[in-house]
């Protein structure tokens, strides 16, 4: 599956490798090489991932290895900005970090912009990226289906296409399926990119719900903050344990790991899973989720044990 580069150079939440350090560069190179060896050529990034380190690493690795890859990036809309001007500036800066001679492969809005910026204005900003030659394709992240339809229709009237919608989707957050967003995107011809398909490690089988606190917690103001994505499972440890047990049983049935089964469930929903991989071992394991499918019955059984999840100010879909 495609690789999410959020952890590249991210010292928070237990990743521990400082952006730009020798250790981080080695780990990222191992993840990149393992992914492309297994046929994974899509890397999802953003300027905030490692403060540019993820984009710079992706560009450097493509150049130094001569390996073709598609790299997506994002613009985070902020209050008070001229959205179109800010998005185009982000595109230029990302292209520089990626060392591209041409347009970005995919430019996404990282989240819905806050009022008073309208959905139509957000569509116009994305359209400007295509028309200016800054991006080949455009997408959104964390939009609801209703918001998505407005942007899609506004672009369509201009003869342009909204290519992707990226949302958090996993057994721990099934809301995009339950709400109809995934089916709605399918009807509109929009590809769903699913981030955090392992609920930030909760579905990997590496952590005991009743065991010591895993190293995903980031120390803030003297306390420990949980990883935000997939956190619905933390509210019911018994349910989390029951889901992990079933993932292990499914893994034995299909000859796969817990992580591979959990990722495959996302693929069965009709989405493309963006799997975080901070080293070669994780990238290789993630790739093992491809090339097979859970039966419809097993996918339904796993879904019944998961969590619906919630929306937030950041996540509308």
């Amino acid at each position: 599956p495609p690789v999410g580069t959020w952890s590249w150079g991210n010292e928070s939440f237990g990743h521990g490798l400082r952006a730009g350090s020798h250790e981080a560069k080695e780990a990222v190179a191992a993840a990149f090489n393992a992914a492309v060896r297994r046929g994974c050529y899509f890397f999802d990034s953003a300027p905030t991932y490692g403060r540019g380190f993820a984009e710079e690493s992706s560009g450097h690795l493509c150049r130094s290895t001569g390996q073709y890859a598609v790299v997506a990036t994002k613009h985070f809309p902020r209050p008070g900005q001229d959205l179109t001007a800010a998005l185009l500036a982000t595109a230029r800066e990302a292209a520089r970090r990626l060392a591209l001679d041409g347009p970005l492969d995919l430019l996404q809005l990282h989240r819905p912009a806050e009022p008073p910026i309208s959905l139509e204005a957000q569509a116009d900003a994305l359209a400007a990226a295509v028309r200016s030659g800054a991006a080949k394709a455009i997408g959104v992240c964390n939009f609801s289906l209703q918001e998505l339809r407005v942007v899609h229709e506004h672009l369509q009237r201009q003869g342009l296409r909204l290519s992707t919608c990226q949302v958090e989707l996993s057994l721990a957050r099934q809301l995009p399926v339950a709400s109809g967003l995934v089916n709605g995107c399918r009807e509109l011809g929009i590809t769903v990119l699913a981030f955090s398909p392992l609920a930030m490690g909760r579905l990997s089988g590496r952590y005991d719900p009743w065991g010591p606190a895993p190293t995903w917690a980031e120390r803030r103001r003297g306390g420990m903050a949980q990883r935000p994505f997939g956190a619905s499972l933390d509210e019911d440890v018994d349910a989390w344990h029951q889901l992990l047990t079933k993932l292990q049983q499914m893994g034995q049935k299909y000859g796969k790991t817990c992580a591979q089964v959990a990722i495959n469930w996302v693929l069965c929903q009709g989405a493309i899973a963006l799997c975080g991989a901070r080293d070669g071992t994780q990238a290789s394991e993630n790739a093992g989720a491809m090339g097979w499918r859970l039966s419809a019955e097993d996918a339904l059984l796993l879904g019944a044990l998961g969590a619906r999840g919630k929306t937030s100010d950041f996540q509308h879909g």
Side-chain angles (χ1 to χ4, degrees), residues 290-308:
M290 299 190 300
W292 61 283
R293 280 292 185 274
L294 290 162
S295 69
E297 181 181 21
D298 286 342
L300 284 172
L301 180 58
L302 285 169
L305 295 174
R308 179 183 173 90

Side-chain angles (χ1 to χ4, degrees), residues 45-199:
S45 191
T48 54
Y49 297 177
R51 298 176 182 174
F53 175 71
E55 289 177 332
E56 291 171 354
S57 297
S58 298
H60 169 73
L61 289 164
C62 287
R63 293 193 313 275
S64 62
T65 63
Q67 177 63 58
Y68 167 80
V70 172
V71 181
T73 193
K74 307 177 185 73
H75 171 72
F76 196 102
R78 301 186 187 281
Q81 286 182 334
D82 178 325
L83 181 59
T84 297
L87 181 141
L88 292 176
T90 293
R92 289 192 296 270
E93 293 161 4
R96 176 184 56 79
R97 284 189 290 268
L98 288 163
L100 293 175
D101 296 326
L104 298 168
D105 293 312
L106 173 62
L107 179 61
Q108 306 156 93
L109 280 175
H110 209 146
R111 59 158 295 169
E114 297 179 15
I117 302 174
S118 68
L119 291 166
E120 290 81 2
Q122 295 173 65
D124 286 338
L126 290 169
V130 175
R131 291 208 173 95
S132 67
K136 298 176 186 176
I138 46 180
V140 295
C141 306
N142 301 299
F143 277 53
S144 69
L145 179 58
Q146 293 73 21
E147 292 167 333
L148 192 72
R149 288 188 186 279
V150 174
V151 174
H152 165 78
E153 291 170 3
H154 194 70
L155 288 169
Q156 194 173 50
R157 285 194 289 270
Q158 302 178 56
L160 298 173
R161 176 172 176 261
L162 185 67
S163 295
T164 60
C165 177
Q166 186 174 153
V167 290
E168 180 194 351
L169 172 58
S170 73
L171 281 162
R173 188 182 188 269
Q174 301 178 41
L175 183 62
V177 176
S179 69
L181 184 144
V182 172
N183 280 335
C185 284
R186 185 181 297 114
E187 293 170 0
L188 296 173
I190 298 169
T191 299
V192 176
L193 303 176
F195 73 83
S196 201
L198 293 178

Side-chain angles (χ1 to χ4, degrees), residues 262-303:
I263 294 168
N264 195 269
W265 181 89
V266 172
L267 303 181
C268 289
Q269 309 313 304
I272 295 176
L274 298 176
C275 303
R278 64 178 184 263
D279 56 37
T281 299
Q282 287 188 348
S284 295
E285 181 179 4
N286 293 343
M290 299 190 300
W292 61 283
R293 280 292 185 274
L294 290 162
S295 69
E297 181 181 21
D298 286 342
L300 284 172
L301 180 58
L302 285 169

Side-chain angles (χ1 to χ4, degrees), residues 170-174 196-207 209 233 238-266 268-269 285 289 292 294 298-307:
S170 73
L171 281 162
R173 188 182 188 269
Q174 301 178 41
S196 201
L198 293 178
M200 302 189 83
R202 291 173 176 87
L203 303 177
S204 68
R206 298 185 180 93
Y207 302 113
L233 288 179
D238 289 333
W240 180 7
H241 181 263
Q242 187 178 9
L243 176 57
L244 282 177
T245 299
K246 184 56 67 176
L247 283 170
Q248 290 164 352
Q249 293 172 355
M250 293 289 184
Q252 292 172 356
K253 175 178 178 179
Y254 289 93
K256 300 295 179 179
T257 66
C258 281
Q260 290 165 345
V261 173
I263 294 168
N264 195 269
W265 181 89
V266 172
C268 289
Q269 309 313 304
E285 181 179 4
W292 61 283
L294 290 162
D298 286 342
L300 284 172
L301 180 58
L302 285 169
L305 295 174

